[in-house]
Amino acid sequence: MVAIPRQLWAADLLGVARQHAGHGLSPPEVGHPRPAHVSVTLEVGRVTAPSEPPRPRTLTEALRVMSDEELTTLLAARPDLLDPVPEDVAELASRSTTPASITRAIDELNRWLRTVAEALSALPDPTSVGDLEAMLGQARAKVAAAVRQLRRRGLLWGRDDQLHVVRPVREAFEPYPGGLAPPSSRPMSDEQIDSALAVCGAEAHAVLQRLLWSPTGAVRHADRTVTVTSASSPIERLLSHQLLRPLDSETVIIPREVAWRLRGARFTAEPVATEPPAITGRPRNPDLVDRAAAGAAFALLHDIELVAQHIESVAHKLLRGGGLGSRDVAALAQHLGTDPAHAAFVIECAAAARLVAPAKTAALLPTADYDHWLGCDAPVRWRQVADAWLATDRFFARSGEPGGHPLGQEAYAPSAAGLRMTVLRLVAEAEPGMVLDLDQLADVATWHRPRLSEGPLTARQLVRWTWREASWLGLAALDAVSSFARVPLPPGQPMPTELTALFPAPVSRFVIQTDLTAVTAGPLEHDVAAELRMLADQESRGGGGVYRFSARSLRRAFDMGWSTADVQLWLERHSTTEVPQPLQYLVGDVARRHGSIRVGPAGCYVRLADQTQAAALLAHPAASKLGLRAVAPGVLVAAVDEDELVPLLRELGHTPAVENSAGEVIVTQPSRRATLQPAEPDRAASAAEVAAALLARERAQRVTGQPGTMATTQGTVEQLRSATRAAMPVRVVYVNADGSRAERELAPLDLTAGAVRAVDRHSAQIVTIPLARIASVDPSSRMP
């Protein structure tokens, strides 16, 4: 026998294996826990591999022997463990067994995996795949596959013959997993149960049937003494024959073995499918569906623009309890030409995409992000809205229900994003153009997320809400799945060119007709559309549009400081035809009348060029309420601000111009924008990065024997990222493939999910080091 020190066992054993190549020995993985010395037996021409490593005794030990891929899978399946990033495997194990984390993990299980987890909770600890197979009555391969998935999620650990369920998982299904009582201290045999059932009779059998899937029942004086001879009722006969047992003075329970016998060895009342139900449907022309979906997507973008424009010009204050009032929603719906439910969805989408937000005055206003969003192409704008819809923890449809308010608290739901992701994945799995049955879709979604059937809202209602919103977004159209449904999955992937081409190309010109309307052949460029909406009122929606000029609409341009020449020049530049004479006359008439009345602050004052107008204003019934009085010929003052006086003058048919305190006409109004909190930078490390760093910490600590010099997981990832962005050199201590310690001075080039690629500053070679082998990262003492 040859004894090899632990620090050298990997390198030496690898060398021996290379000398004896061809004999089927693979070097052990560096970093797995080993005893202080590893013994190997050397024979002529052969190397005998070391004995099987000891089995893990705790969840922490089980996590430590996981591979990079297995630990990455665990962290990806349970992203709550990444925030904040655990410092080591021990902390990861501790946090993964908290009740809150376990509850979230169980909620993510499909119906089959949830049933397996519940059956494991009903079995003693430890148990085996064989016992679980007997409990569920399913094929061993299906049961073993489910156990592997639960193990990957950290809900159990151990090998197939020694399975340990994490304690909070058992507690989640207590007190009676599967509707079974705890194992009896004195269990009855099948023969004893059958004999007792025959004696107790049919009435007693009916009592037991009611307790098969919920083992307890209320019985007064349940703990009274009853003998076989004194039993006079079905309950007493069951108690006397031990088919029911008293739990306390008011409760009886059916023993596990009795229920199991009467169930016919079934763990569930109805068979649980090990695979999700298939989604079927009838086909439609996918090209037609995609074109309709692109139209719906573009219409939503147009509606968001209209909402932003409307709330900027008309005050929309949020209610004291949060949310937009029903009257404001109804006004927005009328402005959009739609119903309040759809208007509420548009507002929610705009807020989720950070395009509108409450200002300090509690008024809803566009944000600076909205201005940037307007300048993007339509596919980019749609993708931002679709991603925000998918990731927001709100049921938008609740805002449009009776009693709901857009942006109100009643729509908040932590499970909303997960539900939408589940439904969208199911929809995306169908072929584009397939018309789906929503009831069938709800059944499949319930299989994937069983908790849907346990909340106050039914699965069918939630799926119908999601499908309706998906249709408004263009993920579905004509009751069929569109190709756009696959675009947000996974996040960040580019939109296919064939879908981008479906969005209509913007135009900058339009046709002005003699009936004072402008007709566009397609969507206008956003700056042209904004200016045209200032000059005219939009009357139709869609890819094209119809806009109508009027004295009221043209007045908006003059209020913004445009002159007659500015309006005429703009119309000539963007009209494909000559500006009709009726529109020229209207522009000139509004320009002549605009500014004949000047309003300014002084309470406020009014200057009039026409004495008849002054007399008419003083004689108006509202003059006394406004405190309006004459102070000089053609000069009036009011007790209110100009914000209250100007609307009255316009209501009377006048077109006043507003002056500042210096007597200068205010020609522009600054854009009002809500101030958003800066978006948090995406600093979250990926599951692969965290897994690699955690295992690097464990492995390097064993190989180097220097736990004090180990960098934290978060620090390792962040230092490499910072060095990559700043192109700064770093000193990296890592573990070679042969288990030896190495150190390099590197200039990082890029950081992937599993490795760092860098230039060695001494040899000028490009090297790639797996993150799983990095022990520490420190700034280099040399300047770049």
Side-chain angles (χ1 to χ4, degrees):
M1 300 295 290
V2 179
I4 305 175
R6 183 179 63 175
Q7 288 83 354
L8 302 178
W9 74 268
D12 290 351
L13 187 56
L14 183 59
V16 173
R18 287 173 176 168
Q19 292 176 7
H20 297 277
H23 297 285
L25 176 63
S26 298
E29 184 179 357
V30 176
H32 281 206
R34 303 293 183 190
H37 294 81
V38 177
S39 297
V40 296
T41 303
L42 303 182
E43 299 180 8
V44 178
R46 184 173 64 186
V47 177
T48 303
S51 59
E52 181 181 353
R55 298 184 178 187
R57 296 167 297 177
T58 64
L59 176 63
T60 303
E61 291 184 3
L63 295 180
R64 283 190 172 125
V65 298
M66 278 186 171
S67 65
D68 292 23
E69 181 181 359
E70 290 171 336
L71 195 56
T72 299
T73 301
L74 167 63
L75 295 172
R78 298 175 63 178
D80 59 289
L81 301 178
L82 294 171
D83 187 20
V85 174
E87 296 297 336
D88 50 34
V89 172
E91 182 183 343
L92 174 65
S94 176
R95 285 169 48 188
S96 68
T97 56
T98 59
S101 181
I102 290 295
T103 299
R104 283 192 290 266
I106 292 177
D107 287 346
E108 294 294 325
L109 298 179
N110 61 43
R111 179 167 290 169
W112 165 237
L113 292 181
R114 186 182 176 90
T115 302
V116 174
E118 189 170 4
L120 284 165
S121 302
L123 290 168
D125 187 78
T127 187
S128 65
V129 170
D131 294 337
L132 189 58
E133 177 188 1
M135 172 73 79
L136 294 172
Q138 293 285 354
R140 188 180 186 88
K142 294 287 185 181
V143 175
V147 167
R148 286 194 297 272
Q149 293 191 52
L150 294 176
R151 187 187 289 117
R152 289 172 185 154
R153 287 169 167 81
L155 301 180
L156 61 85
W157 57 276
R159 301 188 178 180
D160 286 354
D161 58 345
Q162 286 281 318
L163 295 176
H164 300 269
V165 181
V166 177
R167 181 178 295 277
V169 174
R170 290 185 178 276
E171 294 172 350
F173 294 106
E174 287 180 349
Y176 307 116
L180 292 173
S184 304
S185 57
R186 300 186 307 276
M188 302 171 64
S189 65
D190 291 346
E191 292 77 10
Q192 291 173 320
I193 294 172
D194 293 340
S195 176
L197 287 173
V199 173
C200 291
E203 292 182 352
H205 191 274
V207 173
L208 295 178
Q209 288 294 325
R210 291 199 294 269
L211 301 179
L212 279 188
W213 306 102
S214 181
T216 60
V219 174
R220 297 182 62 184
H221 307 299
D223 56 351
R224 62 186 180 273
T225 301
V226 181
T227 63
V228 174
T229 57
S230 65
S232 59
S233 66
I235 295 292
E236 290 183 346
R237 289 196 293 272
L238 291 172
L239 288 170
S240 65
H241 287 86
Q242 300 293 303
L243 295 177
L244 284 182
R245 294 176 184 174
L247 193 60
D248 54 40
S249 61
E250 301 293 331
T251 310
V252 294
I253 189 169
I254 181 172
R256 170 178 289 212
E257 66 274 12
V258 176
W260 191 250
R261 179 67 172 171
L262 292 175
R263 289 182 182 188
R266 290 179 299 150
F267 185 69
T268 57
E270 299 293 336
V272 176
T274 59
E275 299 293 337
I279 298 180
T280 59
R282 57 185 179 85
R284 296 195 71 162
N285 186 330
D287 294 334
L288 177 64
V289 172
D290 287 346
R291 288 196 296 270
F298 190 84
L300 177 64
L301 302 181
H302 184 258
D303 287 342
I304 292 176
E305 291 183 43
L306 291 180
V307 166
Q309 177 195 21
H310 191 68
I311 65 175
E312 183 179 6
S313 57
V314 180
H316 287 70
K317 287 197 172 184
L318 299 181
L319 301 174
R320 182 176 300 176
L324 206 58
S326 300
R327 184 175 299 177
D328 289 334
V329 176
L332 281 172
Q334 184 177 7
H335 183 66
L336 296 177
T338 185
D339 57 86
H342 182 260
F345 175 72
V346 174
I347 298 167
E348 289 277 3
C349 280
R354 297 170 61 88
L355 305 178
V356 300
K360 293 181 179 179
T361 60
L364 193 64
L365 289 175
T367 65
D369 288 358
Y370 170 73
D371 299 321
H372 174 75
W373 179 81
L374 272 181
C376 299
D377 294 335
V380 176
R381 287 185 285 146
W382 175 82
R383 181 63 184 273
Q384 182 177 339
V385 174
D387 288 345
W389 169 79
L390 188 61
T392 303
D393 291 335
R394 293 178 63 82
F395 284 127
F396 293 171
R398 278 184 172 172
S399 300
E401 294 290 305
H405 302 282
L407 311 183
Q409 290 296 321
E410 63 273 3
Y412 174 74
S415 61
L419 168 67
R420 274 194 291 270
M421 182 65 74
T422 298
V423 175
L424 187 59
R425 282 173 177 165
L426 295 175
V427 169
E429 289 175 359
E431 290 296 323
M434 180 178 290
V435 180
L436 301 182
D437 183 343
L438 295 189
D439 290 339
Q440 185 186 62
L441 181 61
D443 292 339
V444 179
T446 304
W447 186 90
H448 283 278
R449 297 180 68 91
R451 291 294 296 273
L452 284 180
S453 58
E454 300 177 9
L457 296 171
T458 64
R460 281 172 168 73
Q461 179 66 61
L462 295 175
V463 168
R464 290 183 185 279
W465 279 355
T466 306
W467 180 260
R468 182 179 64 176
E469 294 173 0
S471 299
W472 287 335
L473 276 162
L475 305 174
L478 305 178
D479 296 328
V481 180
S482 78
S483 300
F484 288 92
R486 299 177 180 177
V487 173
L489 303 173
Q493 72 173 0
M495 185 181 297
T497 306
E498 59 271 18
L499 296 183
T500 302
L502 293 178
F503 284 90
V507 298
S508 61
R509 309 194 71 188
F510 46 82
V511 178
I512 302 179
Q513 304 181 118
T514 56
D515 61 350
L516 301 180
T517 59
V519 180
T520 65
L524 290 172
E525 296 177 355
H526 73 274
D527 52 346
V528 178
E531 292 171 336
L532 183 55
R533 290 194 193 104
M534 177 183 62
L535 291 166
D537 296 318
Q538 187 170 357
E539 291 188 339
S540 71
R541 306 165 58 211
V546 177
Y547 300 78
R548 181 170 298 277
F549 296 95
S550 65
R552 178 181 177 181
S553 67
L554 290 171
R555 188 187 67 213
R556 293 194 294 261
F558 291 111
D559 287 342
M560 296 294 292
W562 286 39
S563 65
T564 304
D566 293 335
V567 175
Q568 293 284 4
L569 182 62
W570 190 90
L571 292 174
E572 292 172 0
R573 185 187 309 123
H574 295 287
S575 176
T576 59
T577 59
E578 185 178 354
V579 179
Q581 199 172 53
L583 181 56
Q584 295 182 23
Y585 287 158
L586 180 61
V587 172
D589 183 59
V590 173
R592 282 191 301 272
R593 293 189 296 119
H594 186 269
S596 61
I597 299 178
R598 302 294 179 92
V599 177
C604 66
Y605 67 84
V606 184
R607 293 194 294 114
L608 303 98
D610 189 346
Q611 296 293 332
T612 305
Q613 290 181 332
L617 284 177
L618 291 173
H620 193 275
S624 60
K625 180 180 179 181
L626 298 174
L628 200 63
R629 66 188 187 278
V631 295
V635 180
L636 309 179
V637 295
V640 297
D641 293 336
E642 64 271 19
D643 291 341
E644 294 184 53
L645 183 57
V646 169
L648 171 63
L649 296 176
R650 288 175 176 169
E651 183 179 339
L652 296 178
H654 302 296
T655 57
V658 181
E659 295 181 348
N660 59 20
S661 57
E664 300 170 343
V665 177
I666 301 176
V667 296
T668 59
Q669 296 179 357
S671 298
R672 298 189 299 162
R673 292 291 181 264
T675 303
L676 283 173
Q677 292 292 335
E680 287 291 332
D682 185 14
R683 297 175 179 172
S686 69
E689 290 174 334
V690 175
L694 285 173
L695 292 180
R697 184 179 179 86
E698 294 293 328
R699 292 170 179 172
Q701 181 174 332
R702 295 190 188 99
V703 174
T704 63
Q706 298 176 345
T709 63
M710 292 296 298
T712 64
T713 304
Q714 182 70 27
T716 298
V717 175
E718 286 299 328
Q719 283 181 293
L720 287 173
R721 281 183 170 177
S722 299
T724 302
R725 289 192 294 265
M728 296 294 293
V730 291
R731 189 178 74 257
V732 177
V733 178
Y734 64 99
V735 182
N736 279 320
D738 61 1
S740 61
R741 183 179 184 273
E743 181 177 341
R744 285 179 183 262
E745 188 176 4
L746 303 175
L749 295 177
D750 58 70
L751 180 66
T752 65
V756 59
R757 191 170 67 93
V759 177
D760 189 310
R761 290 171 59 81
H762 295 286
S763 63
Q765 294 180 339
I766 296 180
V767 297
T768 300
I769 303 176
L771 292 176
R773 297 190 178 277
I774 296 178
S776 64
V777 179
D778 296 302
S780 175
S781 58
R782 300 194 335 170
M783 295 299 292

